[in-house]
Amino acid sequence: MEKKLADGRILRNFAIGQLGWAILSGVVSNWLLYFYMPSEETIAAGMPLFITQGIVFAGMTVIGLITALCRLVDGFIDPFIASRSDSLNHPLGRRIPFLRWFAIPFGLMTVIVFTLPGLGSEAFNDVALLVCLVLFYVTLSLYCTPFNALIPELGRTQELRVNLSTFISVTYFVGTATAYLVPTIAGLFEGLFGIANAYRITIAILAIVAVLCMLVPAYTIDENVYAETEPSTTPMGASVMKTFANKEFQVFEISDILYWVAITMFQTGMPFYVTSLMGLDESMNFVLFAGMTVISLIFYAPVNILAKKIGKKRLVSFAFFFFCVAFAVTTVCGMFGIPALVWGGAVAVLAAIPMAILGILPQAVLADIAEFDATETGENREGMFYAARTFSMTLGQSLAMILFSSIATIGAGGLGYRITALVATAFCLLGGLVFLRYNEGGVIKIITAHTEALTGVSEE
């Protein structure tokens, strides 16, 4: 049966699912370290210490070791989930069943990560956090890997691909901004329940909202109408090997790992940069990120248009290098007698433009590579490509958490936090240099030729 092209309603419903999982992912990415390795200011405000603090092994902290280990475990689970999704034979399709089955477990594990590792001794809490975080990342993969695999299937033309990437980028940033509301909302409950329980109540509320959003695409998109649902017969091991054998994907993957190290260090550090370096209240985290998001949204339309006119590679490369400027400025924020709000505004404005570009285009680039590979090999393995990207995110975030939690303990007066921003700058610069090797022209040429051969009509 010939598949229909997705319309605006389908793209919007799909993007709402991104909003949901971005909230849950943002809560853990932005507040896990803040909750379990609180700064002196947060401890003074009444935050208890639940897990073992300080350096415990080879310059690493317990929280750094736990998050890195969990992320690595998740990275090796992703290909298995992708293979199961690619080969699933179900009346609802290859992706939608996963979205229905695992939205609620994903939301529950987000709440449990901040609840169970606080009910016993330090040793119990250390182990509980490890187990809970592993299960969190497993449920994240069970929802997000099939979800992301729908991107090239719903975005089957260059225009649809960029439009879909724009939609999900908007909801990703809105979801991440919503996650930054945690301390603001928690402040409403803090007087009655204490700071730790106030955070837990807030996270539970956000998790309910997130799950409802994640269920929207699961129950409003008929995968059989818009996507190829023929199960793949390639075994997992062979599928992984074929995916990583694609040279263009190799370039993308290496640059993506470097990007995720940089952006995760920056996002993890934001609460510390705002409170410890700039001297602002923790509620300003949301204000600054919301401002950053609004400014980014202003650039979404130009990015969408420019990507179609001059290509994605130029814009993505520019974004990598411009992000370096934002990270570099963060290394000196709070210095030279400049008011704290000026520093906060400067970082928000500088980061907004590359956020807009890198929020939209990498997903579209990967969709191009997945279609290019399918054209060259005759196999549709979208799930494995997006699982591999999840692995790059996983590996990058794992390394970032180890680096941040270790470097942050260096010196006094926020010196460690400044060094983390400097390290993020270096990783972002390397990522941009690697991405310059991506052969976008060759990829698009093959895709366009294949489309013309099938339809007799050029996408352009």
Side-chain angles (χ1 to χ4, degrees):
M1 183 179 83
E2 185 177 349
K3 304 298 180 180
K4 292 175 60 178
L5 292 178
D7 57 22
R9 180 185 66 85
I10 295 298
L11 300 187
R12 287 191 293 271
N13 287 351
F14 183 76
I16 291 172
Q18 176 93 39
L19 171 63
W21 77 254
I23 292 173
L24 300 182
S25 177
V27 164
V28 172
S29 296
N30 299 327
W31 300 110
L32 184 76
L33 203 63
Y34 196 78
F35 190 85
Y36 286 112
M37 199 178 85
S39 63
E40 293 179 1
E41 294 85 356
T42 310
I43 294 172
M47 175 67 81
L49 297 176
F50 295 112
I51 67 170
T52 303
Q53 303 292 303
I55 301 298
V56 294
F57 175 74
M60 294 182 285
T61 61
V62 164
I63 187 69
L65 287 168
I66 288 174
T67 52
L69 178 61
C70 291
R71 274 308 207 165
L72 288 174
V73 170
D74 171 55
F76 288 104
I77 290 173
D78 289 336
F80 173 76
I81 295 171
S83 180
R84 296 294 297 172
S85 177
D86 283 343
S87 61
L88 182 65
N89 188 5
H90 192 281
L92 293 175
R94 298 187 294 169
R95 322 297 181 187
I96 291 298
F98 284 87
L99 273 56
R100 292 190 179 186
W101 297 335
F102 295 107
I104 293 175
F106 184 15
L108 283 174
M109 284 314 307
T110 306
V111 178
I112 293 172
V113 161
F114 290 89
T115 306
L116 183 60
L119 302 179
S121 64
E122 278 190 356
F124 171 86
N125 292 341
D126 292 345
V127 175
L129 181 58
L130 173 63
V131 173
C132 292
L133 205 55
V134 166
L135 292 175
F136 166 81
Y137 284 122
V138 168
T139 54
L140 180 151
S141 291
L142 285 165
Y143 184 90
C144 294
T145 298
F147 178 91
N148 287 332
L150 279 171
I151 294 173
E153 296 180 332
L154 295 178
R156 285 166 45 220
T157 68
Q158 286 295 312
E159 182 174 356
L160 272 178
R161 197 163 294 159
V162 174
N163 288 343
L164 178 56
S165 296
T166 302
F167 285 172
I168 62 177
S169 180
V170 171
T171 52
Y172 175 81
F173 282 127
V174 171
T176 305
T178 302
Y180 272 108
L181 275 171
V182 167
T184 303
I185 300 173
L188 303 175
F189 304 107
E190 193 172 321
L192 289 174
F193 302 101
I195 186 170
N197 287 329
Y199 267 66
R200 290 164 175 158
I201 293 169
T202 300
I203 290 167
I205 293 171
L206 292 180
I208 292 171
V209 174
V211 167
L212 292 175
C213 290
M214 289 191 294
L215 290 174
V216 169
Y219 285 94
T220 62
I221 296 177
D222 186 343
E223 184 180 342
N224 292 293
V225 172
Y226 302 99
E228 294 296 334
T229 56
E230 184 68 28
S232 170
T233 58
T234 304
M236 183 184 76
S239 183
V240 171
M241 294 294 290
K242 289 179 180 179
T243 299
F244 280 93
N246 186 301
K247 292 183 179 179
E248 300 309 322
F249 179 71
Q250 291 170 9
V251 172
F252 177 88
E253 185 77 349
I254 293 171
S255 68
D256 206 43
I257 291 170
L258 295 168
Y259 164 73
W260 282 109
V261 173
I263 195 64
T264 302
M265 291 191 75
F266 180 70
Q267 289 180 336
T268 302
M270 273 295 286
F272 300 98
Y273 304 149
V274 168
T275 57
S276 297
L277 300 186
M278 299 179 194
L280 296 169
D281 185 78
E282 64 179 11
S283 62
M284 287 299 295
N285 279 289
F286 171 73
V287 175
L288 292 177
F289 192 87
M292 202 183 307
T293 302
V294 170
I295 297 170
S296 289
L297 292 176
I298 294 172
F299 288 96
Y300 271 38
V303 169
N304 187 296
I305 295 169
L306 283 172
K308 297 169 185 175
K309 289 184 176 295
I310 68 173
K312 309 174 192 72
K313 178 180 176 178
R314 292 180 183 178
L315 288 174
V316 171
S317 300
F318 167 80
F320 267 105
F321 300 129
F322 202 86
F323 238 147
C324 291
V325 177
F327 295 158
V329 168
T330 306
T331 65
V332 294
C333 66
M335 301 173 66
F336 311 121
I338 298 174
L341 283 176
V342 173
W343 282 115
V347 171
V349 171
L350 288 172
I353 297 174
M355 278 180 65
I357 297 170
L358 294 175
I360 297 172
L361 298 185
Q363 295 278 36
V365 169
L366 185 56
D368 286 341
I369 294 172
E371 184 177 350
F372 164 73
D373 185 83
T375 300
E376 292 285 275
T377 65
E379 295 180 295
N380 293 309
R381 291 177 288 104
E382 298 90 349
M384 192 58 70
F385 274 96
Y386 280 89
R389 200 210 177 191
T390 303
F391 176 77
S392 68
M393 179 178 71
T394 294
L395 186 58
Q397 290 181 334
S398 298
L399 182 55
M401 295 299 275
I402 290 175
L403 289 172
F404 188 92
S405 61
S406 300
I407 295 171
T409 63
I410 296 174
L415 175 62
Y417 300 141
R418 297 187 191 281
I419 296 174
T420 62
L422 183 62
V423 173
T425 305
F427 274 98
C428 197
L429 177 61
L430 286 173
L433 293 173
V434 170
F435 191 76
L436 288 173
R437 298 178 62 84
Y438 171 56
N439 182 16
E440 181 180 42
V443 169
I444 299 301
K445 182 179 179 181
I446 294 296
I447 293 173
T448 302
H450 180 67
T451 301
E452 291 178 351
L454 289 177
T455 65
V457 179
S458 170
E459 286 187 20
E460 300 179 8

